[in-house]
Amino acid sequence: MWQDLIDVLTKLCNAYDGLTKIGEKKRAALVTIDMDGLSKILDEEQIAAARIQALEKKRGAILNELSKSARPRITYGRAEEFYHHAPTPAIEKKLLALHQLLTVNVEEALELRDNNQILAQSALNAVNFHLNRLSGAAVEPTYGSKGGDIVTHQKKFDFRA
């Protein structure tokens, strides 16, 4: 069962590494405004996220089973403490190394996700700005009586022509 945990942690490390690579491709697509490429990347990202979710579920089941089968029963909340109950020092060392690598990979993936989210929001703001400018819409610097923005429209085009 401990070897199953090592296998799942290894697969999780690889999956998060793959998610980071997808995030880098996504950043490039956002910067170059490659919408077709972005669409394909989002599909890849969804598949990777589903794989990670399945692996996390499997990891949880393995940890639960190891906790139940251990005598005395292991009830520690932190993974590092749990790994100290491994049957051999070599397995414990491998689990701790994988845990550290997984932590690094997850942090990298989260940082990339946050940066890509900022890029996507900035691109959306730019599109909204240009659409509002073309349509003559402007957001006033004050709020309306219900707390919402006040939007005024200037007629720039005569569509009756």
Side-chain angles (χ1 to χ4, degrees), residues 46-72:
Q46 190 173 14
I47 292 167
R51 183 165 188 258
I52 288 171
Q53 187 176 16
L55 287 168
E56 286 290 355
K57 190 174 183 179
K58 188 173 181 179
R59 177 172 73 153
I62 292 170
L63 288 172
N64 191 29
E65 190 62 37
L66 283 170
S67 174
K68 286 180 184 177
S69 66
R71 296 290 174 242

Side-chain angles (χ1 to χ4, degrees), residues 88-161:
T88 66
I91 291 175
E92 178 185 356
K93 185 177 179 181
K94 179 72 172 173
L95 287 169
L96 290 170
L98 283 169
H99 181 81
Q100 186 175 17
L101 179 61
L102 182 59
T103 300
V104 168
N105 288 355
V106 169
E107 288 172 357
E108 285 178 8
L110 289 175
E111 184 178 343
L112 248 163
R113 180 206 61 192
D114 292 343
N115 290 340
N116 286 342
Q117 191 173 13
I118 291 169
L119 279 174
Q121 187 61 46
S122 297
L124 183 60
N125 289 343
V127 167
N128 284 334
F129 171 78
H130 288 294
L131 285 174
N132 287 338
R133 195 179 75 188
L134 286 172
S135 69
V139 178
E140 300 293 328
T142 60
Y143 293 105
S145 61
K146 295 184 181 182
D149 293 329
I150 298 175
V151 180
T152 58
H153 297 277
Q154 298 172 348
K155 193 172 186 181
K156 293 224 175 193
F157 301 106
D158 187 4
F159 293 105
R160 290 179 282 153

Side-chain angles (χ1 to χ4, degrees), residues 21-37:
K21 290 176 181 156
I22 292 170
E24 290 168 354
K25 290 189 328 189
K26 186 177 181 181
R27 180 181 58 216
L30 285 167
V31 168
T32 60
I33 312 171
D34 177 13
M35 298 313 288
D36 291 334

